[in-house]
Amino acid sequence: MKITSIIENTSNKGLPVEHGLSLYIEKDEGQKVLFDMGQSGLFARNATALSLSIADIDVAVISHGHYDHGGGLSTFLAENQKAKVYIHKDAFLPHYSLRDTGLRYIGLDKSLQGNERLVLCDEVTRIDNDMTLFANVQGTCCSPVGNRLLFGPTETENDSFCHEQSLVVAEGGNVVLFAGCAHRGIVNILRKAEEVVGKAPTHVFAGMHLVKSGLDEASENAFIAALAAELQKYKDTMFYTMHCTGEEQYQKLQSLMGRQIEYLACGDNVMI
């Protein structure tokens, strides 16, 4: 399986970037999967620059109802004529982020929610024998503090992230977990993945939403140390992180986890 980042906040390859995420997954059997679509059509242009075809995608997934993961949906539907798009049934509800200038709408384009190619998902959705989506993650272990700034479906209600779903791909003895921002907490998502598929993931690709914690330095360091300790309990799992984890926060995680965690920037790829 080959995983290529075609949208991420940073790039070491000279590709244009944006705040968002999109991963192009090529399974050994030839099936092609798109996990998230960034906030614009840039994911498609970067794919072309990397000699990857959006038209050839067989299955697409949107991890949650935020613009930086599903904003490219209209571009995808125009450039790919065959793939179903798996999205949680609550993803088109309103979502907001509290910024310095006030609340900002960060939801998806509601005009697309009736498109016939969308597959609306609930708690567990089996795409095929190898791929499973799951939502309704419970638990509060190392939940991101930055969630306090996110609201929906009303402007006064903190987001519960009922619209967030993660993907597990099982192939060749590997169990690979993909989580967009892990708003429900990457540890809680790992536990749910193990419950759903019956074994712990061998590889994890996920933003961990460690930015905008609002914590002082000592408290943030303590939080990251606690998270690293939980992730290291998965001794046989390799972590690749990106996007909303934050570069500084990644460096702190990496200093604690060593080679068990790496950063996946736009244009980078991993073969597993």
Side-chain angles (χ1 to χ4, degrees), residues 201-245:
T202 57
H203 302 78
V204 174
F205 291 80
M208 297 183 187
H209 201 66
L210 302 182
V211 295
K212 298 182 179 179
S213 71
L215 298 172
D216 59 51
E217 184 175 3
S219 297
E220 179 165 285
N221 288 344
F223 180 92
I224 291 175
L227 175 59
E230 290 292 337
L231 296 181
Q232 287 178 300
K233 291 179 182 178
Y234 292 83
K235 299 182 185 300
D236 298 320
T237 302
M238 179 66 194
F239 295 90
Y240 297 90
T241 196
M242 60 213 76
H243 179 44
C244 58
T245 299

Side-chain angles (χ1 to χ4, degrees), residues 60-236:
V61 171
I62 293 178
S63 64
H64 60 297
H66 289 171
Y67 78 106
D68 52 329
H69 295 258
L73 178 56
S74 60
T75 296
F76 180 79
L77 293 171
E79 296 208 5
N80 179 291
Q81 301 300 312
K82 63 177 182 176
K84 295 290 187 182
V85 180
Y86 290 78
I87 186 169
H88 194 274
K89 62 183 180 63
D90 294 328
F92 283 99
L93 292 174
H95 299 108
Y96 306 91
S97 175
L98 182 60
R99 310 288 175 88
D100 292 340
T101 55
L103 277 183
R104 175 187 173 188
Y105 181 77
I106 58 167
L108 304 179
D109 181 352
K110 292 185 178 179
S111 70
L112 300 173
Q113 67 183 118
N115 190 282
E116 62 183 8
R117 288 171 58 194
L118 301 186
V119 178
L120 301 183
C121 305
D122 207 333
E123 181 169 354
V124 177
T125 301
R126 309 283 182 183
I127 298 176
D128 58 25
N129 290 335
D130 298 333
M131 295 193 290
T132 304
L133 284 164
F134 64 89
N136 192 30
V137 171
Q138 302 299 312
T140 59
C141 181
C142 298
S143 294
V145 184
N147 285 345
R148 76 193 189 286
L149 302 175
L150 299 171
F151 295 81
T154 69
E155 296 182 6
T156 58
E157 181 181 0
N158 274 116
D159 200 329
S160 69
F161 304 104
C162 62
H163 55 99
E164 182 178 64
Q165 60 182 3
S166 301
L167 173 67
V168 175
V169 181
E171 184 180 63
N174 291 316
V175 177
V176 188
L177 171 64
F178 297 90
C181 276
H183 285 291
R184 291 296 302 155
I186 188 60
V187 176
N188 306 311
I189 292 171
L190 274 162
R191 292 171 180 173
K192 178 79 170 188
E194 191 168 5
E195 174 188 321
V196 169
V197 301
K199 59 177 69 175
T202 57
H203 302 78
V204 174
F205 291 80
M208 297 183 187
H209 201 66
L210 302 182
V211 295
K212 298 182 179 179
S213 71
L215 298 172
D216 59 51
E217 184 175 3
S219 297
E220 179 165 285
N221 288 344
F223 180 92
I224 291 175
L227 175 59
E230 290 292 337
L231 296 181
Q232 287 178 300
K233 291 179 182 178
Y234 292 83
K235 299 182 185 300
D236 298 320

